[in-house]
Amino acid sequence: MENLNRVASSEQGCVENRFEEIIGDSPALESVLAEVERVAPTDSTVLVLGETGTGKELIARAIHNISPRCGHPFIKLNCAAIPFDLLESELFGHEKGAFTGAFAQKIGRFEMADTGTLFLDEIGDIPLALQPKLLRVLQEQEFERLGSGRTHRINVRLVAATHSDLAEMVKRNEFRSDLYYRLNVFPVVLPPLRERRQDIPQLVSHFVGLFGRRVGKQIKHIPKETLDAFTSYSWPGNVRELQNLIERSVILSNNGVLPNPLPKFDRNGNSNSLSKSDNNPATVTPSQGTFDGSARALILRALQAAGWIIGGPSGAASRLGLKRTTLIAKMKKLGISRPGHEHAIDRLNENRESEQWWQPTVE
């Protein structure tokens, strides 16, 4: 009876946490969650596709939580984070003495995930030499540890994820076609944050509460201008970038007001220069063109915001997180001069001693 109660409690927890930490109700996200609900009850392999920072692990966990395997192990492995020569051992385990340094038996991730779900992130980083063994365990549900001839049978559901274009990798012979077809049974494509902008206010509120509790600050007000800037920004790093930005904003907050570290946007989506009273760091938007162009615009905004003061705690270098000398070198490279001092950077490069024109504005 105690075991039955434990199972019932576990299943109840699965139902309650099925979409844990997935925030939003935009049509793009709701479409993804509908696909998750459709495939989760099966044992089919799922391939989660999407840009970096879109929440692929959360989707994998949601698939596990809705499935009959909830209450059993959910094991994850980032294939890109493990050196190639150790990845086989991480996946399949090894016996003592299987190779130099194998001082004890090791259980691999497939064996750890038996009866549950294994989530392999960045599946495109698995080396070609290892792909046939992965294909075999997916098809036959059996494998051998390194250094062992004994075959282990398992019952594992695989969810894989990648931000790479596996089909293109197959064309370039960088990924096995048979493994690709075996993984691509049920693809789930996650939208980037820029395609689900209506979810941004909910995400901001969630992260503000999360980091407020973590750092011991209570955010009582999020200005409309700040929220509008968040909604307008393109978020190339997606939800992960938003999360990190909110954490920084909460740390920098004063008097319970969330500051805005993004530039202000005009109606055309272009960033306006920061005012001198704006103490927030500047951020580049993709609409500003090339990398050099974006860097130049970023430096100019920081200089304008600092009143062309380079050094000191409120200077442009501090705002950009750079050393004073590094910022001066970048200004020389990008041809940035204070208005009325167009040739000063050239003089500075010829003689490092001749920085007199900067002195009146350096704190």
Side-chain angles (χ1 to χ4, degrees):
M1 181 62 69
E2 181 180 350
N3 289 337
L4 290 177
N5 290 337
R6 190 181 302 116
V7 171
S9 175
S10 175
E11 290 177 350
Q12 179 66 28
C14 291
V15 173
E16 293 175 352
N17 299 326
R18 61 180 193 158
F19 290 141
E20 184 181 14
E21 297 185 19
I22 298 178
I23 309 297
D25 54 11
S26 63
L29 181 60
E30 290 291 342
S31 176
V32 168
L33 298 184
E35 292 182 351
V36 168
E37 289 183 315
R38 184 180 295 272
V39 73
T42 73
D43 277 335
S44 297
T45 301
V46 179
L47 181 61
V48 185
L49 304 169
E51 297 178 7
T52 297
T54 48
K56 294 186 284 293
E57 182 179 336
L58 294 179
I59 293 298
R61 191 175 292 277
I63 292 171
H64 174 74
N65 287 343
I66 302 175
S67 76
R69 295 176 182 268
C70 185
H72 296 274
F74 177 81
I75 305 298
K76 58 186 180 180
L77 177 68
N78 187 326
C79 300
I82 307 296
F84 286 174
D85 54 347
L86 297 179
L87 186 55
E88 184 174 4
S89 174
E90 282 293 327
L91 287 170
F92 305 110
H94 64 252
E95 298 292 344
K96 180 179 179 181
F99 51 85
T100 302
F103 300 115
Q105 183 188 75
K106 177 182 175 64
I107 304 298
R109 302 300 174 101
F110 271 103
E111 204 167 343
M112 293 167 60
D114 192 23
T115 71
T117 302
L118 177 62
F119 173 54
L120 295 183
D121 200 4
E122 300 302 345
I123 193 75
D125 283 63
I126 287 189
L128 276 169
L130 189 55
Q131 291 179 19
K133 192 166 184 177
L134 177 59
L135 177 63
R136 180 197 170 203
V137 74
L138 292 180
Q139 291 179 335
E140 308 297 337
Q141 292 280 293
E142 62 181 30
F143 68 94
E144 292 81 36
R145 295 181 194 148
L146 283 174
S148 171
R150 179 189 170 194
T151 298
H152 293 264
R153 291 201 58 83
I154 53 171
N155 176 14
V156 172
R157 199 259 186 92
L158 181 73
V159 179
T162 183
H163 71 278
S164 303
D165 188 337
L166 294 185
E168 284 299 318
M169 292 181 66
V170 169
K171 292 179 182 178
R172 298 193 301 265
N173 295 320
E174 296 173 356
F175 201 86
R176 289 179 62 104
S177 60
D178 48 5
L179 178 57
Y180 169 65
Y181 298 135
R182 185 64 185 81
L183 292 170
N184 199 36
V185 175
F186 195 94
V188 175
V189 182
L190 302 191
L193 187 55
R194 61 184 173 274
E195 294 180 7
R196 40 178 292 226
R197 295 183 186 274
Q198 72 185 66
D199 292 334
I200 291 177
Q202 293 183 58
L203 287 163
V204 170
S205 178
H206 170 75
F207 290 132
V208 163
L210 175 67
F211 292 117
R213 291 187 298 271
R214 190 171 293 178
V215 303
K217 285 190 173 184
Q218 184 177 6
I219 303 299
K220 300 178 180 178
H221 179 58
I222 303 176
K224 182 179 183 299
E225 295 79 8
T226 298
L227 201 56
D228 288 345
F230 288 161
T231 305
S232 302
Y233 183 55
S234 62
W235 300 109
N238 294 292
V239 179
R240 184 181 294 120
E241 182 185 6
L242 173 64
Q243 176 180 344
N244 294 337
L245 184 83
I246 296 298
E247 181 177 9
R248 184 203 316 167
S249 298
V250 169
I251 294 171
L252 294 172
S253 65
N254 293 308
N255 302 319
V257 178
L258 189 74
N260 171 25
L262 290 173
K264 298 175 182 178
F265 291 89
D266 62 22
R267 293 182 180 180
N268 296 321
N270 298 318
S271 59
N272 297 322
S273 297
L274 296 173
S275 66
K276 291 185 180 181
S277 61
D278 193 336
N279 292 323
N280 298 318
T283 303
V284 183
T285 65
S287 61
Q288 291 169 315
T290 65
F291 177 81
D292 282 350
S294 297
R296 192 175 194 279
L298 174 62
I299 292 173
L300 281 171
R301 287 201 304 276
L303 286 165
Q304 291 165 0
W308 286 86
I309 294 173
I310 296 180
S314 62
S318 177
R319 290 168 178 267
L320 294 168
L322 300 174
K323 292 182 179 179
R324 176 177 172 277
T325 53
T326 302
L327 177 56
I328 292 175
K330 288 183 178 293
M331 291 172 65
K332 168 65 176 70
K333 177 182 177 183
L334 297 170
I336 298 174
S337 302
R338 184 177 182 179
H341 298 82
E342 287 78 5
H343 303 293
I345 292 282
D346 289 331
R347 295 198 304 271
L348 181 68
N349 189 56
E350 293 170 2
N351 185 354
R352 303 291 296 193
E353 302 275 332
S354 60
E355 293 185 11
Q356 300 304 316
W357 72 277
W358 292 111
Q359 299 307 317
T361 59
V362 177
E363 296 182 346

